[in-house]
């Protein structure tokens, strides 16, 4: 092993020990909890206060209604006729247009010279609530080598350096997990939160499977966490599996991981491609779908519209529309 390789292995082991120690001590860590059908969804600060003292609750406001005006270059907007302004730290969804139904999170105590309230976030809204609502946002920041931990029941965990837990009573609960920074601006008496999604900024783990992506968004109303890609997947075992996809979704209710878009699995010399793959860790299977699913190995090629994939061995069973071509290896 080269000195660089040995150093990389040492650092990986050191980080693994740090993260394991963090989880062991998390009974004493500051945390905020949501609930989904009896399952706790918990975001946990793992770093000591002398490393980061950012575990903050902000009392903001939310306005749900029609986007009546939007000027991106001027960084101004109107929702239901109320005027807002934003800056580089605000989270404004792309491709919004006047007439859209939106959710505006804002701080009415920060107004510009024209009296416009400061916009914390602006995004599309698909629910049924309307009007003004009190909004609570918890900010958790754990700089490296620490990571913020989000537990989804007893089954899955996600890790990143920055988390925002957003709550509107009886309307909306959401967690955003990613990379970035939260810091206190003393001259303005507020915290600045900057999400900076980067490749493999977030890790999600379930059973033998681990996946990495750019940012995780969890909607408690849907019970679904979406990991933005590109996504890289690894699964441990005698025949390790590696995969990739455009997006990953974790469903809290049925405890499944679903890979979406450009799915590619590699295991023991076989490459399998599909449009989507639903991984059921408790069964040890993945269910692949495509038009078609294609699996190529040294012994030939198999195609089908639906395939059951044994995660430990890589064995395939075509459930619908089987086609096969075998190589003569004599």
């Amino acid at each position: 092993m080269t000195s660089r390789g040995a150093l990389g292995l040492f650092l990986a082991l050191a980080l693994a020990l740090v993260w394991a120690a963090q989880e062991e001590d998390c009974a004493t860590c500051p945390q905020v909890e949501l609930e989904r059908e009896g399952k706790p969804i918990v975001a946990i600060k793992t770093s000591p206060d002398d490393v980061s003292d950012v575990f903050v609750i902000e009392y903001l406001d939310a306005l749900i209604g029609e986007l009546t005006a939007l000027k991106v270059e001027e960084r101004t907007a109107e929702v239901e006729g109320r005027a807002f302004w934003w800056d580089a730290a605000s989270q404004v969804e792309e491709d919004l247009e006047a007439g859209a139904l939106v959710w505006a999170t804002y701080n009415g105590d920060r107004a510009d010279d024209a009296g416009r309230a400061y916009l914390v976030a602006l995004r599309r809204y698909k629910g049924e609530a309307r009007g003004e609502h009190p909004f609570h946002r918890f900010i958790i920041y754990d700089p490296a080598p620490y990571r913020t931990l989000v537990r989804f029941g007893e089954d899955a965990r996600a890790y990143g350096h920055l988390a925002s837990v957003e709550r509107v009573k009886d309307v909306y609960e959401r967690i955003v997990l990613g990379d970035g920074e939260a810091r206190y601006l003393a001259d303005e008496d507020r915290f600045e939160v900057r999400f900076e999604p980067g490749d493999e900024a977030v890790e999600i783990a379930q059973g033998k499977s681990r996946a990495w992506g750019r940012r995780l968004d969890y909607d408690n109303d849907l019970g679904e966490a979406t990991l933005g890609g590109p996504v890289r997947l690894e699964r441990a075992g005698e025949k390790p599996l590696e995969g990739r996809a455009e997006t990953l979704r974790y469903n809290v209710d049925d405890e499944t991981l679903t890979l979406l878009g450009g799915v590619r699995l590699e295991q023991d010399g076989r490459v399998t491609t599909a449009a989507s793959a639903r991984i059921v860790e408790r069964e040890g299977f993945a269910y692949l779908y495509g038009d078609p699913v294609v699996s190529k190995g040294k012994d030939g090629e198999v195609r089908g519209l639906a395939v059951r994939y044994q995660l430990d061995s890589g064995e395939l069973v075509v459930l619908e529309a089987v086609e096969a071509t075998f190589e003569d290896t004599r």
Side-chain angles (χ1 to χ4, degrees):
M1 180 182 294
T2 66
S3 58
R4 180 178 296 178
L7 178 60
L9 178 60
F10 172 78
L11 291 174
L13 290 172
L15 285 173
L17 289 172
V18 168
W19 294 332
Q22 293 168 18
E23 292 191 24
E24 288 294 323
D25 192 45
C26 273
T28 63
C29 296
Q31 56 190 262
V32 55
E33 181 175 327
L34 310 179
E35 184 177 320
R36 166 76 184 180
E37 302 293 335
K39 293 182 179 180
I41 314 299
V42 189
I44 303 168
K45 176 182 179 291
T46 66
S47 59
D49 284 347
D50 59 355
V51 173
S52 169
D53 61 356
V54 179
F55 182 87
V56 177
I57 179 171
E58 291 185 320
Y59 297 90
L60 304 170
D61 292 287
L63 174 59
I64 302 172
E66 181 182 345
L67 180 64
T68 49
L70 179 69
K71 297 181 180 179
V72 176
E73 293 183 358
E74 298 178 12
R75 292 182 172 178
T76 62
E78 290 184 8
V79 178
E80 296 290 331
R82 175 154 190 177
F84 300 97
W85 68 280
W86 75 83
D87 60 16
S90 305
Q91 300 171 43
V92 177
E93 188 171 335
E94 295 182 354
D95 300 325
L96 288 173
E97 295 181 353
L101 182 62
V102 295
W103 175 297
T105 306
Y106 68 94
N107 184 345
D109 294 331
R110 289 185 65 199
D112 64 6
D113 294 338
R116 292 174 291 216
Y118 175 69
L119 194 61
V120 176
L122 183 68
R123 56 180 175 270
R124 290 177 180 83
Y125 179 71
K126 297 180 180 179
E128 298 180 357
R130 297 290 188 276
E132 296 270 4
H133 301 272
F135 182 95
H136 297 161
R137 180 170 74 160
F138 297 82
I139 302 167
I140 306 173
Y141 176 49
D142 288 298
Y146 299 90
R147 299 189 298 179
T148 302
L149 167 65
V150 179
R151 289 180 177 157
F152 297 98
E154 299 300 324
D155 184 65
R157 299 183 177 196
Y159 307 86
H161 292 301
L162 180 63
S164 172
V165 183
E166 304 171 354
R167 307 180 73 169
V168 176
K169 187 177 180 180
D170 299 328
V171 175
Y172 177 82
E173 293 180 323
R174 178 176 184 247
I175 298 175
V176 179
L177 180 67
D179 205 352
E181 183 182 16
R183 61 193 183 101
Y184 180 65
L185 303 179
D187 57 335
E188 300 180 19
D189 190 27
R190 68 179 182 92
F191 277 86
E192 180 183 61
V193 180
R194 289 182 178 271
F195 278 97
E196 298 174 356
D199 290 342
E200 302 192 2
V202 175
E203 176 184 355
I204 186 167
Q206 184 204 25
K208 296 180 181 179
S209 296
R210 306 184 84 86
W212 293 264
R214 295 177 62 82
R215 176 173 135 164
L216 183 140
D217 289 82
Y218 172 70
D219 186 330
N220 200 39
D221 187 50
L222 299 175
E224 189 171 82
T226 300
L227 182 63
V231 170
R232 180 173 68 88
L233 174 76
E234 289 184 358
R235 192 175 189 277
E238 291 186 11
K239 295 181 179 180
L241 182 150
E242 295 182 356
R244 65 172 186 252
E246 295 173 6
T247 306
L248 179 146
R249 289 180 183 161
Y250 175 73
N251 187 287
V252 171
D253 297 336
D254 60 21
E255 300 178 348
T256 58
L257 296 168
T258 300
L259 300 170
L260 296 167
V263 176
R264 178 185 174 93
L265 303 179
E266 297 184 39
Q267 187 176 30
D268 196 31
R270 175 171 288 276
V271 176
T272 304
T273 57
S276 66
R278 181 170 173 264
I279 299 172
V280 187
E281 271 286 344
R282 63 180 177 274
E283 296 179 1
F285 289 104
Y287 297 86
L288 280 58
Y289 304 92
D291 190 15
V293 178
V294 179
S295 186
K296 297 180 180 180
K298 57 187 177 182
D299 55 350
E301 178 179 306
V302 175
R303 293 171 175 257
L305 297 180
V307 171
R308 189 180 69 186
Y309 190 109
Q310 216 289 337
L311 292 166
D312 287 326
S313 67
E315 294 179 356
L316 304 176
V317 175
V318 178
L319 303 176
E320 183 179 350
V322 62
E323 293 182 27
T325 303
F326 298 101
E327 299 290 339
D328 187 349
T329 58
R330 292 179 296 173

